[in-house]
Amino acid sequence: MAPDMTIYRSFFESVERQPNKPLFELPDGRTVSYRDTADTVHRIAARLLEGGVTPGDRVAMQVPKSPEAIALYLATLQVGGVFLPLNTAYTGAEMRYFLDDAQPRVLVCAPDRRDDYDAGQRGLVVETLGESGDGTLLHSQDRSDAVVDVGFDDPAAILYTSGTTGRSKGAVLTHGNLAANCAALLQAWQYTSEDRLIHALPIFHIHGLFVAANMTLVAGASMHYLSKFDTDVIVDLLPHATVLMGVPTFYTRLLRSERLASDSCSAMRLFVSGSAPLLASDHEAFAARTGHAILERYGMTETGMNTTNPYDGGIRKPGTVGKPLPGIEIRIVDRETGEPMADGEVGIVEVRGPNVFAGYWQMPEKTASEFRSDGFFITGDLGQIDDDGYLCIVGRDKDLVISGGYNIYPKEIEELLDSHPKVLESAVIGVPHPEFGETVVAVVVPNSGEQLRERELQDFVARDLARFKQPRAVRVVEALPRNVMGKVQKAELRTRYADLFVGADA
Ligand code: MLC
Ligand code: AMP
């Protein structure tokens, strides 16, 4: 990838080089070529312009995964818009927050959710896009191939990442961030037009969109494009693919399949894991079964990918996330003083480089508080550098649960539980889960004299919270453990409920 190219321009170079090559290979046998995708991009761009999108306007998307959804992303970049993808699991209440905060010009939603949104309100244009490309977004045959000239510092996307305050913050990623991270990953993982990726991740997060899809679009590779993870479908595809990118749950599930074997992986050259810690035991079991050492890397929404285990020229060490990608600096500092720490000591992981985002959407103070004066971003992860210079993520200094690769901020759930008339207070924690890595447990204290049932609270949160955030267990207690300062001791609760899901199925 040329250093002075945006993702959009690099994609169109791929189109010119190999217009007829399949970009998407779909489970029903259909393929969509680079040229077909480019045509769809131009049609959607015309529709966005018709909807009044001008450079800097947000274009929000909450749609099922389809090739057209990727075309919508590219069309947004073409017209200089800022792409805002949203989890399809978000409820109406969650969506209202994002729309109020980001004030998009256009929202593209699934046809069956059209009536949830009030077009006309604050000038929002609502379009629809279904799984098979149906909906209003592609109604017209008009095309636009006018490309807005953007700078590398201009915003390309906003991805919401929940905050410790319980309210999500929009991480603003620039064209330069996306291009630099994509170029670094292409180089580090030797990803080329020869690759055939199994793409089973959602496209509303950085992993599925800015790692997996961007690399494919820019390299001119092909992807087996699946609407969601399915163990059997993936095992069937392995002989026809070269790369799989997934969250640890993908590998936990694959290992449960008796059909996973080394001969079916003979065409594969790379298995990548990230977004949450991969169990060292899964890494070892996968290597023993398939002959492939999973390559673990570390990233986050605000920074894209930061570190990676080596593709070649070194070992992929289980339990580590490797070394910084080209052009990226990592350091470990003392949480209180911000002073750099010696190798081997545990501290906060900080990162600096062209991958690091521009700031939180309309939150200058929050942005300033997460950066050091020398430009390092404070990740909130706890890590140490080992003797070989590999980074190990050993914990988090932020109150966060990662379930199946999705981030869940306890504060958001606690605020909702506390608003229940029978609840005095609550604490939400993550406990080990055999499939999702961690899962959410709520510990709740009722108001005096009130009887609380688990089901009642489950139903209460289900109205407002996406399914993946809903507590898998609720425990009603008389009081929460507190330290002398009165702070709830979540570590004690995590120990108390650590075995709740041991041996459980999803
Ligand atoms: C689904 N469910 C989950 C869940 N995913 N619950 C908790 N955590 C999750 N991650 C719910 C479903 O709603 C359903 O609820 C039940 O669990 C079982 O669903 P399933 O069919 O088994 O789940 P599935 O659709 O297969 O999804 C599991 C998954 C998926 C792990 C494949 O969650 C996934 O694709 N995760 C990837 C997330 C991701 O892309 N993260 C990257 C973020 S970027 P019920 O009760 O109704 O049956 C990032 C930066 C970086 O973090 O470094 O990459
Ligand atoms: P998100 O905010 O959704 O982008 O999630 C980013 C967080 O996921 C990071 O701050 C880490 O806590 C975690 N994470 C990502 N990759 C890894 C990994 N390989 N190992 C451990 N944690 C990870």
Side-chain angles (χ1 to χ4, degrees):
M1 182 181 181
D4 55 346
M5 292 279 274
T6 59
I7 297 293
Y8 180 87
R9 296 231 180 244
S10 302
F11 164 69
F12 269 87
E13 281 209 346
S14 300
V15 176
E16 274 164 35
R17 266 198 319 273
Q18 40 182 31
N20 298 319
K21 178 171 177 170
L23 166 53
F24 299 96
E25 301 194 33
L26 303 174
D28 62 6
R30 273 188 311 133
T31 61
V32 183
S33 69
Y34 271 83
R35 193 203 327 257
D36 294 342
T37 307
D39 279 347
T40 310
V41 171
H42 292 322
R43 282 176 57 200
I44 297 177
R47 189 82 180 182
L48 294 178
L49 292 171
E50 203 182 302
V53 175
T54 57
D57 281 347
R58 276 74 58 209
V59 174
M61 168 186 100
Q62 191 197 29
V63 299
K65 193 172 167 185
S66 69
E68 291 78 9
I70 295 287
L72 169 58
Y73 156 57
L74 291 163
T76 303
L77 300 184
Q78 180 184 320
V79 302
V82 181
F83 190 59
L84 167 50
L86 292 158
N87 194 327
T88 45
Y90 288 146
T91 63
E94 288 164 324
M95 285 296 287
R96 266 192 300 285
Y97 171 76
F98 297 119
L99 298 180
D100 283 344
D101 191 58
Q103 299 279 316
R105 166 71 56 201
V106 173
L107 165 69
V108 184
C109 67
D112 61 359
R113 290 191 72 171
R114 172 67 190 80
D115 293 341
D116 295 357
Y117 302 106
D118 188 6
Q121 209 187 36
R122 51 171 126 70
L124 180 71
V125 174
V126 183
E127 299 276 8
T128 57
L129 178 63
E131 214 164 345
S132 44
D134 50 311
T136 59
L137 190 66
L138 283 157
H139 264 180
S140 154
Q141 293 299 323
D142 292 349
R143 299 165 45 93
S144 168
D145 45 22
V147 183
V148 168
D149 217 1
V150 293
F152 276 87
D153 291 336
D154 288 332
I158 297 179
L159 264 68
Y160 274 86
T161 161
S162 299
T164 39
T165 55
R167 273 301 173 208
S168 291
K169 301 167 293 200
V172 179
L173 293 156
T174 64
H175 288 272
N177 294 148
L178 303 188
N181 212 222
C182 185
L185 290 169
L186 291 171
Q187 183 188 333
W189 298 344
Q190 299 181 19
Y191 196 82
T192 71
S193 61
E194 299 293 305
D195 277 307
R196 294 183 309 282
L197 172 75
I198 301 179
H199 192 304
L201 287 160
I203 53 167
F204 41 73
H205 279 311
I206 202 142
H207 197 167
L209 189 60
F210 297 149
V211 181
N214 274 357
M215 289 175 72
T216 304
L217 298 169
V218 168
S222 299
M223 49 190 166
H224 297 284
Y225 192 69
L226 308 175
S227 61
K228 59 175 288 202
F229 180 88
D230 181 309
T231 306
D232 280 329
V233 174
I234 292 196
V235 173
D236 287 342
L237 280 172
L238 286 173
H240 313 284
T242 61
V243 179
L244 173 68
M245 298 183 193
V247 295
T249 303
F250 281 24
Y251 295 102
T252 310
R253 287 186 178 180
L254 283 170
L255 278 166
R256 280 209 217 123
S257 167
E258 286 173 5
R259 298 179 54 224
L260 178 74
S262 64
D263 50 350
S264 55
C265 297
S266 58
M268 289 292 293
R269 67 172 187 88
L270 180 61
F271 291 89
V272 179
S273 177
S275 308
L278 177 73
L279 288 174
S281 54
D282 277 357
H283 185 286
E284 280 146 14
F286 200 85
R289 184 93 76 85
T290 65
H292 285 272
I294 298 171
L295 180 153
E296 186 167 7
R297 75 356 170 234
Y298 158 66
M300 62 191 296
T301 303
E302 289 92 332
T303 63
M305 302 304 104
N306 297 314
T307 68
T308 179
N309 268 277
Y311 178 69
D312 57 15
I315 56 159
R316 299 180 195 163
K317 277 204 223 178
T320 80
V321 293
K323 296 185 180 182
L325 282 158
I328 297 176
E329 297 165 86
I330 291 281
R331 70 181 181 195
I332 307 292
V333 304
D334 180 274
R335 177 211 279 165
E336 308 303 335
T337 64
E339 288 300 314
M341 302 187 74
D343 285 358
E345 287 185 53
V346 173
I348 300 281
V349 180
E350 297 189 345
V351 57
R352 183 165 70 179
N355 55 316
V356 177
F357 74 136
Y360 294 111
W361 172 250
Q362 290 181 336
M363 288 187 181
E365 281 162 20
K366 184 75 195 155
T367 303
S369 70
E370 309 254 323
F371 279 90
R372 303 277 180 199
S373 55
D374 58 3
F376 271 87
F377 173 66
I378 306 163
T379 62
D381 289 312
L382 295 172
Q384 70 193 132
I385 308 282
D386 75 7
D387 292 345
D388 299 317
Y390 284 50
L391 176 65
C392 313
I393 304 293
V394 298
R396 293 174 211 132
D397 190 42
K398 46 192 176 189
D399 193 12
L400 162 72
V401 179
I402 306 185
S403 168
Y406 285 141
N407 276 13
I408 301 163
Y409 279 82
K411 187 83 182 159
E412 179 185 359
I413 306 167
E414 288 161 2
E415 281 176 3
L416 186 59
L417 287 167
D418 293 351
S419 73
H420 188 283
K422 291 188 189 170
V423 171
L424 177 66
E425 60 174 351
S426 61
V428 167
I429 52 168
V431 301
H433 187 278
E435 180 161 6
F436 290 132
E438 293 177 334
T439 198
V440 177
V441 171
V443 187
V444 179
V445 181
N447 281 319
S448 89
E450 294 285 9
Q451 294 289 321
L452 261 178
R453 279 174 301 114
E454 175 166 3
R455 185 74 264 150
E456 189 177 353
L457 288 174
Q458 303 270 28
D459 292 344
F460 178 71
V461 295
R463 290 204 303 256
D464 287 339
L465 279 185
R467 176 73 187 111
F468 70 90
K469 296 182 194 166
Q470 295 170 23
R472 293 285 168 134
V474 179
R475 290 291 174 268
V476 179
V477 298
E478 280 179 16
L480 296 174
R482 291 183 185 277
N483 65 13
V484 283
M485 310 290 287
K487 194 168 180 280
V488 174
Q489 290 182 298
K490 288 202 169 180
E492 188 182 322
L493 290 175
R494 280 191 282 267
T495 309
R496 195 186 296 173
Y497 297 111
D499 293 338
L500 218 49
F501 291 91
V502 170
D505 287 329

